[in-house]
Amino acid sequence: MNQSLLSAPSGALKIPYSPATKVVVCDYPPKFSLILPTYNEAGNIKNIIEILSQLLDQYMPGCYEIIIVDDNSPDYTWKLALELTSNYPQLHVVRRVDEKGLSTAVIRGWQIAQGEILGVIDADLQHPPEVLKKLLEEMDRGADLAVASRHIEGGGVSEWSILRRFLSRGAQILGLIILPEVISRLSDPMSGYFMVRRSAIACKTLSPVGYKILIEVAARGCISWIAEVGYVFKERQDGESKVTWKQYVEYIQHLLRLRLSISARFIQFGLVGLTGVVVDMVFLYLLSDETGLGLPLTRSKIIAAELAVINNFLWNDCWTFGDISRRQPGKRQRLKRLTKFNLICMLGLILNVLFLNVFVSILNYSKYSANLLAISLVTVCNFWFNLKLSWRVTEID
Ligand code: GDD
Ligand code: MN
């Protein structure tokens, strides 16, 4: 069997930490893997491969691979591509027969890729190949994600209809409303032309919908540095766009699903926080009330709050962030997470005690309503700090 025809992976859409080992063009695996998703690109495929190979042979000879992932195109794009592999040893072809769709094509390509940097470009020459060099330079500078954007300096779309321009901008505004923490980081969230560091998305379960793979990567990956390079989206030279209304509907579905999965964790964290409030209030009563031990308010508060922190940690570790904790098993790891959680909550505890004393002694609130108010103020900060530090939560399953 032609070694350049690779079989399409199946199962979960997860990119492995360590690259797949397969046919290597030289004695070390390529640094950069570029995926071309294709459907009926017979008229463009020879041209794009020639241009990409020339450009990358100049820029990074022997350190890249190109993987075409074709969905069994009726125009036999995959066959034409396969014939090209004899002239381009760094070219591999995947012919998918069962699974369909642009974004899963890209992920399946990344799953069998060997590079540390995983890229995607359209095969119809609407994404100018020369922009690859600038994107790679950004990745070399340390970016986790480098995106070719039509909406920054040097960017633009050629003869797009008013409707398509309106739809693209409209989709972006919708994204800012539904998923601001992701979409606000990208000037062109619809871009299908970008590259990402393997380690930033490795072992994340990706579940894209339709065409928009970039928001999936930006939402689920460990992406701290996003670089953008302007480009002008060109006119097609052959074939036609497969974008239909369906892609726009799928985009909204995708945003809502990501929204839910991000918020789900916050809701769970809030529910756990509620159990912590009960623990805090009950022990504040038992320790500080005359009918209880009658200890001083601050001392009672510190003990009650610490018991609530331990309660919350146990619930969060096995429920809210259980899917991540289970990947970091063992007592030592758990103790490390408890220490981090405690240190972060310590900050919250200090704020809590301060707020409590201010509300009781200056605003004359009862100690119980003051405590409730202080706790709710501190809960939001606690979620954000823990999300970023204790569980390093960036994946959304
Ligand atoms: N394997 C596979 N399966 N490839 C597909 C499929 C599919 O179902 N649908 C489209 N493709 C390939 C096309 O062959 C082309 O190489 C690329 O994906 C883009 O498809 P187009 O139909 O040309 O999309 P477009 O030009 O309207 O929009 C593109 O550019 C936009 C701006 O970057 C897409 O990449 C959009 O996602 C992107 O927003
Ligand atoms: Mn196109």
Side-chain angles (χ1 to χ4, degrees):
M1 173 183 125
N2 182 325
Q3 280 195 325
S4 299
L5 181 63
L6 304 174
S7 44
S10 55
L13 291 164
K14 263 188 187 180
I15 318 293
Y17 265 114
S18 39
T21 43
K22 63 178 184 303
V23 177
V24 284
V25 178
C26 39
D27 45 10
Y28 45 81
K31 177 181 150 198
F32 173 48
S33 300
L34 183 61
I35 309 304
L36 275 68
T38 58
Y39 192 69
N40 285 341
E41 298 297 347
N44 293 312
I45 200 67
K46 189 167 180 308
N47 210 355
I48 183 84
I49 295 301
E50 232 162 61
I51 295 169
L52 285 175
S53 303
Q54 218 170 22
L55 185 139
L56 291 170
D57 280 343
Q58 239 173 16
Y59 186 74
M60 50 191 322
C63 297
Y64 72 93
E65 63 180 350
I66 298 173
I67 303 176
I68 288 172
V69 183
D70 182 74
D71 284 358
N72 207 21
S73 299
D75 71 358
Y76 294 102
T77 305
W78 62 274
K79 221 176 204 166
L80 290 168
L82 215 45
E83 285 157 14
L84 292 171
T85 53
S86 46
N87 304 332
Y88 302 100
Q90 74 287 2
L91 174 62
H92 303 285
V93 179
V94 174
R95 176 193 179 193
R96 297 199 306 172
V97 182
D98 310 322
E99 202 173 36
K100 299 265 176 244
L102 193 161
S103 41
T104 56
V106 174
I107 298 174
R108 294 302 183 198
W110 285 343
Q111 279 183 303
I112 55 172
Q114 299 173 86
E116 168 47 30
I117 298 172
L118 306 171
V120 52
I121 187 171
D122 289 353
D124 55 10
L125 289 159
Q126 288 192 282
H127 291 162
E130 57 278 11
V131 170
L132 280 175
K133 283 195 263 187
K134 291 190 195 147
L135 293 172
L136 283 163
E137 279 159 15
E138 291 297 342
M139 295 303 284
D140 286 343
R141 286 178 51 222
D144 299 306
L145 176 64
V147 184
S149 167
R150 294 161 292 180
H151 304 317
I152 58 170
E153 200 205 320
V157 287
S158 46
E159 289 94 62
W160 262 16
S161 63
I162 304 282
L163 177 65
R164 181 124 192 216
R165 285 174 199 261
F166 170 75
L167 285 172
S168 180
R169 278 295 184 187
Q172 189 176 0
I173 292 164
L174 206 58
L176 283 170
I177 295 165
I178 300 175
L179 208 60
E181 66 274 43
V182 175
I183 306 296
S184 60
R185 301 182 68 193
L186 299 161
S187 65
D188 185 358
M190 308 297 133
S191 177
Y193 188 10
F194 63 89
M195 44 185 83
V196 62
R197 199 167 298 283
R198 172 189 293 274
S199 52
I201 53 169
C203 298
K204 311 279 182 217
T205 311
L206 299 174
S207 47
V209 181
Y211 261 42
K212 302 307 162 197
I213 170 84
L214 176 58
I215 53 171
E216 186 67 15
V217 164
R220 296 184 191 273
C222 291
I223 309 282
S224 28
W225 177 357
I226 299 179
E228 295 196 324
V229 174
Y231 85 100
V232 177
F233 187 74
K234 296 179 176 170
E235 266 317 286
R236 246 182 186 274
Q237 291 164 16
D238 190 288
E240 74 272 335
S241 165
K242 288 87 188 172
V243 168
T244 61
W245 277 100
K246 191 171 154 267
Q247 271 73 43
Y248 287 98
V249 173
E250 284 174 339
Y251 168 67
I252 296 166
Q253 272 174 337
H254 194 181
L255 285 175
L256 292 173
R257 189 163 69 182
L258 283 169
R259 173 71 285 148
L260 253 183
S261 37
I262 293 178
S263 321
R265 249 192 237 287
F266 186 71
I267 294 163
Q268 286 172 303
F269 192 86
L271 291 175
V272 167
L274 276 181
T275 65
V277 172
V278 171
V279 169
D280 190 310
M281 295 295 274
V282 165
F283 279 95
L284 183 71
Y285 168 74
L286 293 175
L287 295 168
S288 68
D289 207 86
E290 299 77 59
T291 53
L293 298 181
L295 296 177
L297 179 64
T298 300
R299 197 183 317 166
S300 314
K301 173 63 193 169
I302 291 171
I303 299 168
E306 184 49 34
L307 290 171
V309 165
I310 293 168
N311 165 76
N312 291 4
F313 171 78
L314 294 173
W315 280 108
N316 281 321
D317 202 45
C318 61
W319 185 43
T320 315
F321 304 107
D323 56 324
I324 297 166
S325 317
R326 278 187 287 281
R327 262 180 239 136
Q328 300 151 348
K331 284 202 185 73
R332 224 166 61 80
Q333 287 278 20
R334 188 168 221 203
L335 202 63
K336 211 167 115 191
R337 286 195 302 274
L338 173 61
T339 317
K340 272 200 271 185
F341 183 75
N342 232 323
L343 288 175
I344 290 164
C345 294
M346 204 55 72
L347 179 73
L349 176 65
I350 295 163
L351 284 174
N352 213 325
V353 171
L354 278 175
F355 286 144
L356 177 68
N357 281 290
V358 164
F359 294 150
V360 168
S361 33
I362 301 174
L363 303 179
N364 295 322
Y365 285 13
S366 86
K367 61 181 163 185
Y368 299 113
S369 45
N371 193 31
L372 270 178
L373 188 61
I375 291 171
S376 31
L377 283 175
V378 164
T379 299
V380 181
C381 327
N382 267 352
F383 176 75
W384 194 84
F385 281 119
N386 277 300
L387 185 69
K388 292 295 166 203
L389 300 172
S390 305
W391 280 276
R392 290 283 305 143
V393 174
T394 50
E395 53 206 86
I396 312 136
D397 284 330

